[in-house]
Amino acid sequence: MGYPREMQESIKRLEATRPFRLRQEIPRLTPEEKNRLLEQFHPDFRPDGMRPVRVGPNKGQRMQNELVDLLEAYSRIDPERVDLSHIDYDVDVLVIGGGGGGATAALIAHENGARVLLATKLRLGDSNTIMAEGGIAAATQPNDSPYLHFLDTIGGGRFQNKRELVWALVHDAPLVVEWLKDLGAMFDTHPNGDLVVSFAGGHCRRRVHSCKDLSGMEFMRVIRDELWNKRVEVLEFSPAIELLLDEKDRCAGAILMNLETHEHIIVRARAVILATGGIGRLHPNNFPTTNHYGATADGLVIAYRAGARLLHMDAIQYHPTGAAWPEQMLGQLITEALRGNGAQLVNVHGERFINELETRDVVSSAIIREVRHRKNGVRTPTGMEGVWLDTPLIDILGGEGKLDRMFAGIVHRFREYGIDVHKEPILVFPTQHYQNGGIEIDAEGRTDIPALFAAGEVAGGVQGKNRLGGNSLLDIFVFGRRAGKAAALFAKEVPPPGKLTLEHVRRYHEELAAEGIEKGRVSPLLLPDYTRPEVKQRRYS
Amino acid sequence: MPESLIPIYIMGKRYEVPEGLTIMKALEWAGYQLIRGCGCRGGFCGACATVYRVPGNFRLQVGLACQTPVTPHMNLVQMPFFPANKAIYDLDKVGSPLETLLQLYPEITRCLGCNTCTSVCPQKLQPMYYVAAALRGDFARAAELSFDCIMCGLCAARCPAQLAPYNIAIFVRRYYSKHMRPKPKHLIERVAEIRAGRYDQALSELAAASEEELKKLYVNREFEKL
Ligand SMILES: Cc1cc2nc3c(=O)[nH]c(=O)nc-3n(C[C@H](O)[C@H](O)[C@H](O)COP(=O)(O)OP(=O)(O)OC[C@H]3O[C@@H](n4cnc5c(N)ncnc54)[C@H](O)[C@@H]3O)c2cc1C
Ligand code: SF4
Ligand code: SF4
Ligand code: FES
């Protein structure tokens, strides 16, 4: 297959400018230039993409339409019909979500003596974590320090991050790398055993630690293996559909749903940790997404209904380099590590247009400007447009074999479609990637609701309005560990909760009704439905 | 764009779906809302292992539903869960490599060398070779050869000796990486500094700085050269 002829002509121009581009330095933008670019071209600033939410703790604040739809929706449960006296599981700590954040929290809570139950929607490990390619950021090198990591992170987050969270993030980073190494994660190393580090956008040092291009997979499978070794109890295909509180509005468990039999499962817990990940499968602004199938904002919805405040939910991350060709790969992530190792962004005429290592919000906006505004995009036969990511530069700069060594997955996936990334570039366009905000937490992962903790992508404040590459894997382990420990201690020290109630759901329903929001839409979504409208219409339900 | 439809059989039932779709998208096009058998949708997680036959070929074929395009008359079923043996161990308290391996997975010696596993691996790995390397005690080699394993379970599903190669492999990799590779000096030193509180004050000062100060520090920081 490979590239059709029209596209190949543009590739010739790209090849012609390579010698010049190898010497070309593009200065970084000033803060003012960045702001202008974001305001004009970042999807977060599209006037019709968001609207104020009419109910709940963040009432009146603007958020992504697709999320507001789910917040302004009724529970899957009729509170009158659930028998809360029948308790199926009674544990110290309930962890909701089986990605990297949840698995870490469960493991650490277990190590701190808690009886733990982990409930997850798909299989343990089916998550965004497992898809992470690039790696984890940490200041482990002699020329680096947590101080610089702090500055990079908060600047990248447009200075909106909660300071105490960034403190914890960069402080614990080297500890987390050590922890993963001790669990047996196979980091990329130099022959002397030192860890290999790469650049990612917005970091002023090389500090992203990788395990080839399967970093998240490697961390996830190692932690999962350890959970199995410790015999921590895990319920798969059992998503949480509502939190439970006690009469004093303390979190006291959750209602899960058996996805196969649709039965409710009632879990009472002394502490609950939410680690349900992101929102990509809501397809904000109709963008494709890099996220896994279960990224449907469930955690946000149920925590919000229980009274937890959300932070920065008007900031969605669009990753600059989602695949734009072949069609079958549309929206899939092309890792930033390629740019970190020298691959450049190039328009239809063979010209660069942005320093590739600017932060993601800036690079995405620049690509959108290049394609939509300046009309310098490369068109595919199916009408998609994108810009080139000049991957052959990696071997040119780093010596033959570097692509194969570090990016075997990319090489392999494109080869299936007849594209040789050693010789030909990749066509890219921004794709939804990450939820920058989430449930507000403090440095121990505590939320506004007593006994409810949150960690990972579902939590907000760590990354401000824009996350840097490598900082999310870091986030889930740092705050997964902190929340796991804090929840175990809480469960030990604080007396058990009172009577289980769904009063908060009743109250929320009343609030919805008072706003005139009609019954019909229910949430959390749990799974996206990609069946065709024709089929949906003809369904018997 | 007019789509040309091709017949496929999902668990024996006929559906017409557009050509060029992956098996996963074809299932959805046909009207399935997937619960099992769908995870990352990008070839990473191994949730979507699928077994199929095509006419004219007596062989059972396998692939990942999210990566494999449908072909006319493909007859398929998803196999997203495979019960496999996983040994329980404490990585902090293990003996010598080979001895531990044989204790945890004694069945490994039953490998027939038939290479069925290799013919089914969607990652194009050669489980037979990593199993053999592990059995020789060459954990470095086994770790390297098995690294790209996404634990989809297909090799275990087909292994006539009833091994679960991927579970053997993850034990080997963890053992190798923890006990047979040196811990980097720069990491040990940085962790010691952090534990000693070396950075606490500097970080706290940053955390207390005004936004203006932070912005100044941010703009003026120096970049390591690419
Ligand atoms: C393709 C891709 C590449 C990435 N690369 C990098 C990278 O290189 N470096 C980096 O730092 N970050 C990267 N990220 C971001 C990072 O991987 C994620 O943000 C992070 O792993 C999120 O971890 P988590 O544990 O919070 O959520 P997840 O890993 O998504 O886990 C959430 C879990 O909760 C489950 N769940 C959802 N709803 C419910 C419910 N109602 N009840 C029970 N369970 C539920 C989900 O099924 C899932 O298992 C990448 C992300 C993607 C998508
Ligand atoms: S080695 Fe086995 S489990 Fe691993 S990817 Fe290959 S077939 Fe799947
Ligand atoms: S299929 Fe089983 S018996 Fe055959 S080579 Fe692979 S591991 Fe050995
Ligand atoms: S859905 Fe994850 S590999 Fe196919």
Side-chain angles (χ1 to χ4, degrees):
Chain A
M1 206 176 94
Y3 289 113
R5 222 190 28 237
E6 313 87 275
M7 293 173 74
Q8 285 186 14
E9 276 165 27
S10 172
I11 295 182
K12 289 207 190 91
R13 289 194 286 272
L14 162 138
E15 285 166 351
T17 59
R18 220 177 253 146
F20 166 72
R21 283 187 286 114
L22 274 167
R23 285 174 283 114
Q24 182 188 18
E25 286 222 16
I26 298 193
R28 288 175 190 261
L29 302 183
T30 64
E32 295 72 40
E33 287 170 327
K34 275 187 203 171
N35 283 344
R36 259 198 314 276
L37 183 62
L38 292 175
E39 280 164 26
Q40 281 184 288
F41 297 105
H42 195 281
D44 281 353
F45 293 86
R46 288 185 189 169
D48 50 358
M50 296 191 200
R51 66 173 197 265
V53 55
R54 286 177 285 173
V55 292
N58 292 70
K59 186 170 173 165
Q61 286 175 22
R62 288 165 65 78
M63 297 181 198
Q64 208 61 53
N65 282 328
E66 297 77 3
L67 176 62
V68 174
D69 286 345
L70 295 179
L71 297 179
E72 295 183 350
Y74 288 79
S75 174
R76 288 179 169 268
I77 293 173
D78 178 353
E80 315 306 327
R81 285 186 48 199
V82 183
D83 176 10
L84 293 176
S85 65
H86 178 89
I87 289 164
D88 298 289
Y89 291 86
D90 201 350
V91 296
D92 292 331
V93 175
L94 167 67
V95 179
I96 302 174
T104 300
L107 190 56
I108 299 297
H110 169 86
E111 281 173 10
N112 281 278
R115 286 172 305 129
V116 177
L117 175 68
L118 186 152
T120 191
K121 183 158 63 181
L122 303 166
R123 300 179 315 173
L124 178 58
D126 289 349
S127 59
N128 281 357
T129 303
I130 214 160
M131 305 180 76
E133 299 173 28
I136 181 166
T140 67
Q141 304 295 309
N143 75 344
D144 197 1
S145 87
Y147 180 91
L148 291 172
H149 194 182
F150 186 107
L151 269 185
D152 289 340
T153 302
I154 202 150
R158 300 183 214 147
F159 302 95
Q160 305 291 304
N161 324 44
K162 274 181 83 168
R163 308 271 181 99
E164 54 168 321
L165 301 183
V166 182
W167 198 108
L169 182 81
V170 301
H171 173 270
D172 288 10
L175 309 181
V176 158
V177 171
E178 183 190 48
W179 178 71
L180 290 166
K181 160 87 185 148
D182 285 344
L183 278 170
M186 228 167 99
F187 282 101
D188 293 334
T189 55
H190 295 290
N192 71 353
D194 284 0
L195 300 172
V196 173
V197 281
S198 300
F199 267 118
H203 291 283
C204 70
R205 293 288 183 277
R206 276 171 226 269
R207 66 164 75 99
V208 178
H209 304 67
S210 50
C211 310
K212 306 205 177 158
D213 54 2
L214 290 175
S215 307
M217 176 61 162
E218 172 66 350
F219 302 146
M220 188 72 234
R221 66 189 173 192
V222 161
I223 296 169
R224 179 173 58 193
D225 193 58
E226 192 60 15
L227 270 180
W228 284 330
N229 279 345
K230 296 277 162 63
R231 300 177 201 266
V232 171
E233 188 160 10
V234 176
L235 290 180
E236 296 184 321
F237 297 94
S238 303
I241 54 173
E242 217 60 80
L243 291 172
L244 291 166
L245 303 184
D246 73 1
E247 313 96 320
K248 295 197 184 118
D249 286 342
R250 157 184 172 177
C251 189
I255 303 189
L256 316 176
M257 178 171 119
N258 178 329
L259 270 187
E260 267 123 6
T261 64
H262 289 202
E263 279 165 294
H264 296 161
I265 303 164
I266 303 212
V267 184
R268 178 163 67 190
R270 289 170 172 239
V272 176
I273 304 174
L274 264 180
T276 50
I279 67 161
R281 290 283 155 192
L282 306 186
H283 297 288
N285 279 313
N286 280 325
F287 269 78
T289 181
T290 61
N291 286 189
H292 85 292
Y293 189 50
T296 51
D298 303 351
L300 295 181
V301 170
I302 61 179
Y304 194 72
R305 222 173 249 152
R309 204 148 21 104
L310 309 183
L311 200 60
H312 301 149
M313 278 318 302
D314 54 351
I316 303 292
Q317 181 164 87
Y318 298 85
H319 194 289
T321 54
W325 179 267
E327 279 265 286
Q328 288 89 339
M329 285 180 66
L330 187 68
Q332 286 182 26
L333 182 71
I334 306 301
T335 173
E336 179 161 326
L338 290 163
R339 278 175 287 137
N341 284 284
Q344 296 175 344
L345 293 168
V346 176
N347 69 16
V348 68
H349 307 302
E351 303 154 348
R352 289 170 73 198
F353 50 88
I354 185 80
N355 183 315
E356 288 79 4
L357 293 178
E358 293 280 9
T359 52
R360 288 179 179 169
D361 47 356
V362 170
V363 179
S364 286
S365 304
I367 295 176
I368 293 172
R369 175 181 65 186
E370 204 60 22
V371 169
R372 297 271 156 82
H373 182 68
R374 295 181 176 164
K375 311 281 181 218
N376 286 335
V378 181
R379 221 177 209 314
T380 73
T382 49
M384 262 299 291
E385 283 185 295
V387 298
W388 295 115
L389 181 65
D390 193 4
T391 46
L393 280 174
I394 291 179
D395 277 358
I396 293 173
L397 289 164
E400 212 163 300
K402 188 164 184 184
L403 266 167
D404 286 328
R405 211 168 48 245
M406 289 188 70
F407 303 105
I410 298 267
V411 172
H412 169 77
R413 276 189 284 156
F414 278 91
R415 189 180 292 136
E416 300 275 292
Y417 295 102
I419 294 167
D420 179 359
V421 300
H422 304 87
K423 302 207 181 81
E424 298 162 302
I426 293 173
L427 195 73
V428 296
F429 192 76
T431 178
Q432 191 285 343
H433 187 53
Y434 186 75
Q435 153 196 318
N436 293 304
I439 304 164
E440 184 167 357
I441 56 166
D442 70 8
E444 309 308 322
R446 285 183 289 245
T447 69
D448 294 341
I449 301 175
L452 180 66
F453 299 74
E457 195 167 340
V458 73
V462 181
Q463 315 288 358
K465 292 220 172 190
N466 173 63
R467 165 177 78 83
L468 298 188
N471 266 356
S472 174
L473 284 179
L474 177 58
D475 175 347
I476 67 179
F477 299 127
V478 166
F479 292 97
R481 281 168 22 127
R482 284 174 170 250
K485 187 166 176 198
L489 284 182
F490 183 95
K492 212 177 290 174
E493 287 164 3
V494 179
K499 199 165 153 283
L500 301 180
T501 86
L502 281 168
E503 205 43 52
H504 61 288
V505 175
R506 280 196 198 94
R507 284 198 302 261
Y508 198 84
H509 282 175
E510 281 163 21
E511 211 184 328
L512 290 170
E515 286 297 326
I517 297 164
E518 299 207 357
K519 291 205 171 129
R521 201 164 43 221
V522 295
S523 63
L525 184 62
L526 303 182
L527 294 174
D529 187 351
Y530 292 124
T531 56
R532 289 171 297 147
E534 296 92 306
V535 173
K536 284 194 188 99
Q537 215 171 38
R538 289 168 52 175
R539 265 187 196 148
Y540 178 82
S541 63
Chain B
M1 195 170 22
E3 288 170 304
S4 70
L5 298 181
I6 57 168
I8 61 165
Y9 298 83
I10 301 171
M11 295 182 274
K13 204 185 264 175
R14 184 185 161 111
Y15 294 88
E16 306 240 322
V17 302
E19 209 170 353
L21 294 186
T22 58
I23 293 176
M24 180 167 287
K25 289 192 174 157
L27 284 163
E28 290 172 335
W29 206 89
Y32 281 71
Q33 187 183 15
L34 301 172
I35 296 175
R36 298 227 174 207
C38 179
C40 64
R41 303 176 74 93
F44 286 94
C45 73
C48 63
T50 302
V51 190
Y52 60 92
R53 280 182 200 282
V54 292
N57 189 343
F58 72 93
R59 284 177 205 282
L60 197 57
Q61 292 177 284
V62 296
L64 297 174
C66 67
Q67 302 294 298
T68 313
V70 287
T71 53
H73 301 286
M74 184 184 242
N75 191 346
L76 62 93
V77 63
Q78 282 201 292
M79 199 207 60
F81 173 81
F82 191 80
N85 178 33
K86 139 96 184 113
I88 302 292
Y89 55 90
D90 182 342
L91 199 59
D92 290 325
K93 299 198 193 99
V94 283
S96 72
L98 196 53
E99 191 193 337
T100 315
L101 174 66
L102 290 172
Q103 237 166 39
L104 295 177
Y105 292 105
E107 67 272 26
I108 188 174
T109 58
R110 299 175 26 144
C111 171
L112 308 167
C114 67
N115 221 7
T116 309
C117 44
T118 295
S119 66
V120 299
C121 178
Q123 290 291 85
K124 310 238 168 7
L125 300 180
Q126 301 183 309
M128 179 173 87
Y129 290 104
Y130 72 61
V131 166
L135 197 49
R136 284 197 310 273
D138 188 350
F139 277 26
R141 181 95 186 120
E144 200 56 43
L145 287 176
S146 69
F147 187 83
D148 288 353
C149 169
I150 57 175
M151 303 180 83
C152 68
L154 281 166
C155 52
R158 299 299 305 273
C159 174
Q162 316 252 2
L163 308 191
Y166 57 96
N167 278 338
I168 294 172
I170 190 166
F171 162 72
V172 168
R173 282 194 307 272
R174 290 187 65 191
Y175 187 104
Y176 167 68
S177 167
K178 178 163 174 129
H179 296 298
M180 300 165 88
R181 275 171 133 197
K183 193 145 155 186
K185 228 174 97 227
H186 65 96
L187 181 62
I188 297 173
E189 286 167 5
R190 181 54 47 84
V191 164
E193 287 176 357
I194 298 225
R195 292 235 155 87
R198 254 287 295 281
Y199 298 97
D200 292 6
Q201 200 193 336
L203 286 177
S204 296
E205 279 168 21
L206 268 186
S210 72
E211 192 168 321
E212 287 326 298
E213 280 172 83
L214 277 183
K215 280 189 174 149
K216 210 150 79 210
L217 290 169
Y218 181 68
V219 171
N220 292 327
R221 74 209 198 286
E222 272 179 32
F223 279 79
E224 181 182 349
K225 280 265 168 287
L226 179 68

